[in-house]
Structures are given as structure tokens and as C-alpha cells.
Amino acid sequence: ERPELIISGQDVVLDILANYLQQEGVNAARTYLSSFEGLLSLYQDNVHVVACHLFDGFDYNASYVRSLMPGVPAVLVNISYRTQGFYVQKGNPKNIKGWSDLGREDITVLNRRVGSSARILMDTQLKHLGIPASRVRGYDRIMKSHLTMAAAIAAGEADLAIGTERISRQIDNLDFIPLLEERFDFVIKKEMVETLAVQKLIRVLNNPAFRKEIAHFSGNDYRDLGKVITEV
């Protein structure tokens, strides 16, 4: 039986949300696509709700929705804000401070696969700084997750990688350099917003019990949770 609501994204908060929806009688399922893959899947009607955090150099998510879902009206509903930055070894031995350090000859990096938000963020910053990817040592060394990337940095396998602050708190021998606050939104087709399943999802987002449970995950700011950010 096809689920009423398929939620795409890679944050544990989404797993908790799916469980709450099951308790509300919604046949909810999860898939763990990247933001980029999720938007394509939403456009193709393979999922219903996509968690997205894609930066275009100026703002989050809206421009990617317009590009990857042309002509499809959608609503962005906020999940949280999270700090993105660099994972570096404890004590920051290479004195890494910001994006321009990506071009240093004495710095090696770890990267994520094409389509991941961290990869898109790195490419956006490199383009802004005029640094060719070919000049970045380690650019083609791909890791499967933020967690494996952070562990590799802590073990001294490279000097920096892009990731979220929350993951850095799970690994010893690691420091985190905050660089920007990302906005993490649900993307929902406008035609789906008034369905019972999506209305129940929005109710869960505003449920005090749900909010109390997800507050235990440090590193996320839920100040706009459930708020409609914009229509695209």
C-alpha cells in the first residue's frame, strides 16, 4: 500500500515526525535523499514532503525549488535553523578561519557527493571566491556522511570538511568553526497543503510534546518551526 505521506530528508527530527504522524493515523514513510535529489523526486511525484537546505549564495531553498520544480507552486515551511561551518582537528593546528582557506596549498579537504547540501555549499563559496575546484586539495575525496567526515578529520586524514555543528559535538578531538546559519525547510507542493495528511503534519509541528522531544537535539534552533516562510 502506498503511504499517504513520504517524507524525504536526512535529519533524525524527520524520523520522530514520521512516528508522531503514525500515531495520528497517517501512513507515513521515510526516504533519506539529499535535498537536491528530494526536490527532483518531489517534482516527479515520488515523494510528498522534502526537507531542504540548499544555499545559492544569497538565500536558502527558494531558487532551487524554482529551478528543479519549474511551474509547480510550492510552499516552504520551516523546520529549523542550523549552523554550518568547518570541522577541523582539535586546537585548529592549521589556523583555519574561513572560506578563503579552501584555496590554501597547505590545506586538504574532504567532500560530499554531488547533490549534497555540503557539496553545493562548497561549490557556491568556491565560485564566489574565484577558486577553481582543481586547486582544492582533496576536493574529489568523497565521504558518505557528515559523521564519517567529522571522524576522518578528527583522525587527521584531512584538515577540514563542511558540516553541521551538531555532528561536531559527537566526535572527540574535533573543533568546529561556525560560518553561517542555514535554514532547513520543508518543501510541499501547494496542491498538497490542504490534504488531511499535510494538515496533520503541520499540527504535529506545533504539538508541544513533539517540540519538547526534538528540543533535546542540540544545535538546532526551532524558532520558526511550522511557520510558512514563503510560497514559490
Side-chain angles (χ1 to χ4, degrees):
E1 182 182 355
R2 180 174 171 81
E4 294 173 74
L5 212 58
I6 302 175
I7 302 169
S8 171
Q10 300 175 341
D11 194 296
V12 66
V13 168
L14 308 180
D15 298 323
I16 297 171
L17 173 63
N19 288 335
Y20 270 78
L21 285 169
Q22 292 285 358
Q23 295 170 30
E24 292 290 326
V26 177
N27 182 12
R30 290 277 288 115
T31 185
Y32 298 87
L33 301 173
S34 69
S35 299
F36 189 90
E37 295 166 333
L39 288 178
L40 289 177
S41 192
L42 181 61
Y43 183 57
Q44 296 165 343
D45 287 325
N46 293 322
V47 300
H48 303 107
V49 179
V50 172
C52 187
H53 51 121
L54 295 174
F55 188 55
D56 63 10
F58 302 96
D59 194 15
Y60 274 90
N61 303 325
S63 64
Y64 288 93
V65 174
R66 294 187 188 101
S67 298
L68 297 175
M69 297 172 50
V72 179
V75 174
L76 303 187
V77 177
N78 186 251
I79 306 168
S80 66
Y81 296 85
R82 308 185 299 190
T83 302
Q84 286 269 33
F86 288 156
Y87 302 138
V88 299
Q89 293 176 54
K90 193 73 173 178
N92 192 11
K94 291 290 184 74
N95 193 30
I96 294 166
K97 295 180 179 178
W99 299 111
S100 61
D101 290 310
L102 290 169
R104 284 170 49 182
E105 293 184 358
D106 64 330
I107 297 295
T108 58
V109 309
L110 298 175
N111 210 344
R112 294 292 308 282
R113 62 191 173 90
V114 172
S116 71
S117 59
R119 175 70 166 258
I120 289 172
L121 178 57
M122 178 180 285
D123 289 343
T124 300
Q125 296 298 334
L126 290 176
K127 182 178 180 180
H128 176 72
L129 292 167
I131 301 173
S134 58
R135 270 186 51 199
V136 180
R137 296 177 60 200
Y139 178 86
D140 293 324
R141 188 175 175 195
I142 307 303
M143 306 298 286
K144 292 184 177 180
S145 69
H146 285 312
L147 192 60
T148 56
M149 209 156 49
I153 296 297
E157 296 180 26
D159 299 307
L160 73 82
I162 295 174
T164 59
E165 182 179 13
R166 191 174 75 200
I167 296 295
S168 70
R169 298 176 182 179
Q170 301 175 29
I171 302 291
D172 293 330
N173 199 38
L174 191 75
D175 281 344
F176 180 77
I177 299 173
L179 294 175
L180 81 165
E181 182 182 67
E182 70 168 12
R183 199 182 74 231
F184 194 37
D185 296 327
F186 279 132
V187 182
I188 307 168
K189 287 184 179 180
K190 196 169 183 181
E191 66 187 36
M192 285 284 296
V193 170
E194 297 303 323
T195 63
L196 182 59
V198 171
Q199 286 297 303
K200 285 187 176 181
L201 180 147
I202 292 171
R203 284 206 296 271
V204 169
L205 295 181
N206 290 284
N207 182 330
F210 173 75
R211 287 173 173 248
K212 183 178 180 180
E213 184 167 350
I214 64 174
H216 293 298
F217 295 99
S218 59
N220 285 8
D221 183 331
Y222 299 105
R223 65 183 182 268
D224 286 336
L225 176 64
K227 177 182 176 181
V228 174
I229 298 297
T230 190
E231 296 185 8
V232 181

